[in-house]
Amino acid sequence: MTTSAEPVRPGPLAARPVVHRPVPALPRLLRLPGVYRPQEDTALLASAIGDLAIPDGARALDLCTGTGAQAVTLAARGAETVLAVDLSRRALASVRLNALSRGLRIHPCRGDLATAVRQGPFDVVVANPPYVPCPAPTVRATRGWDAGVDGRAVLDPLCTAADTLLRPGGTMLIVHSALSDVDRSLTLLATRGLRASVVRRARIPFGPVLSGRTEFLEAAGLIEPGQRVEELVVLRADR
C-alpha cells in the first residue's frame, strides 16, 4: 500500500482580534490513501494547541484523528498519554506511521465518540470532526467530512459530551466551519457548564467539496449567493 507525505498550506487569516499570529504549516505527515488530507483546519487547530499549558502527566485525546496530526502535536508538547481515535483503519495505520517516524508514544484506537467517553476523562481533548453540510446521507467514502444537512451530526453530540470527556480543569479545542453554526456550538458547551469562546479564525476559499455544493448551500441559506469563501473557527471550552 502506498503512502504520501505532504505539507499543509494554511489559507489567509481573517483580520479579527482573536487571531494573534499566522497559522504555521504542519510538519509533513504520512497519509494512506483514503485518509482525510491535512488542510487549513488541521493547521488552525494545531496552532491553538500551542496556547495550551499541558500539565505534567496529562492524558490527551485526539478525536477524529485522521493522520494523527494533533496527536503528534500533543505528544510533542509533552502529554504523557495520547489516545488517537478514528473509525478508519487506514487513519489509525497512518497514525502509527507518523508516531513511529518521530519516536512518539501515541495509542491509536478504532472507535467514535462513545469509545472516547469510555476511555475518559482527559486533561486535553482536541477534535477536527466531520462538519461539512451535505444534501444526502453520509456514505463511507465521505464520512471523514460529511455531517448531515446542517453539518452538526457529529458536532451536537460532541459538544453535549464535552463535560464528560474532560477532567475538572481540562480543556477542549474543536475546529469547524462557520457554516455549521458556531453560536450553537458555544451554547451547547455553555449548557454543559463549560467556559467557551472562539480563539482562532481563518477565511479560506472553498475547496473542491464545497465548490461542488454551492447550489445546495445557497438553497439551504448556509451561504450568500455567490459566496465562495468560508470561515473556519477554533472553539476552546474549559471545565
Side-chain angles (χ1 to χ4, degrees):
M1 186 176 294
T2 59
T3 63
S4 61
E6 51 212 323
V8 177
R9 298 178 176 84
L13 295 177
R16 300 202 181 185
V18 291
V19 177
H20 303 295
R21 61 188 68 86
V23 179
L26 288 170
R28 297 176 72 88
L29 295 163
L30 298 169
R31 181 179 66 90
L32 293 177
V35 178
Y36 180 80
R37 183 190 303 272
Q39 299 181 57
E40 288 89 347
D41 53 359
T42 316
L44 194 67
L45 181 55
S47 75
I49 294 174
D51 290 341
L52 299 181
I54 307 293
D56 292 338
R59 296 191 74 230
L61 167 69
D62 179 12
L63 184 62
C64 306
T65 187
T67 59
Q70 314 307 340
V72 166
T73 302
L74 289 165
R77 287 286 319 281
E80 183 172 307
T81 303
V82 180
L83 185 69
V85 175
D86 205 290
L87 285 170
S88 166
R89 289 185 174 87
R90 290 190 176 195
L92 298 178
S94 299
V95 173
R96 291 187 184 93
L97 290 171
N98 286 312
L100 286 171
S101 67
R102 291 165 171 79
L104 298 173
R105 294 182 61 187
I106 298 171
H107 306 281
C109 176
R110 187 167 187 262
D112 55 11
L113 175 60
T115 307
V117 169
R118 289 194 297 270
Q119 296 286 335
F122 302 90
D123 299 290
V124 179
V125 175
V126 300
N128 185 355
Y131 56 74
V132 177
C134 60
T138 300
V139 297
R140 185 183 183 89
T142 63
R143 69 184 180 188
W145 54 86
D146 281 349
V149 294
D150 59 358
R152 298 206 56 91
V154 180
L155 284 168
D156 279 348
L158 173 58
C159 291
T160 301
D163 59 324
T164 305
L165 284 168
L166 291 173
R167 287 175 172 171
T171 298
M172 174 181 284
L173 296 174
I174 307 171
V175 63
H176 72 79
S177 172
L179 301 181
S180 306
D181 197 342
V182 176
D183 288 342
R184 178 169 176 80
S185 293
L186 292 172
T187 298
L188 286 174
L189 292 167
T191 62
R192 308 308 297 179
L194 306 180
R195 185 173 66 253
S197 62
V198 175
V199 294
R200 287 289 192 285
R201 297 181 187 268
R203 291 177 64 82
I204 63 171
F206 282 2
V209 174
L210 289 183
S211 294
R213 297 182 181 175
T214 54
E215 290 187 7
F216 159 71
L217 295 170
E218 289 179 0
L222 296 173
I223 63 172
E224 298 295 329
Q227 178 181 337
R228 298 298 181 266
V229 174
E230 70 169 325
E231 182 176 57
L232 301 175
V233 302
V234 177
L235 310 181
R236 174 170 174 162
D238 294 287
R239 182 179 176 194

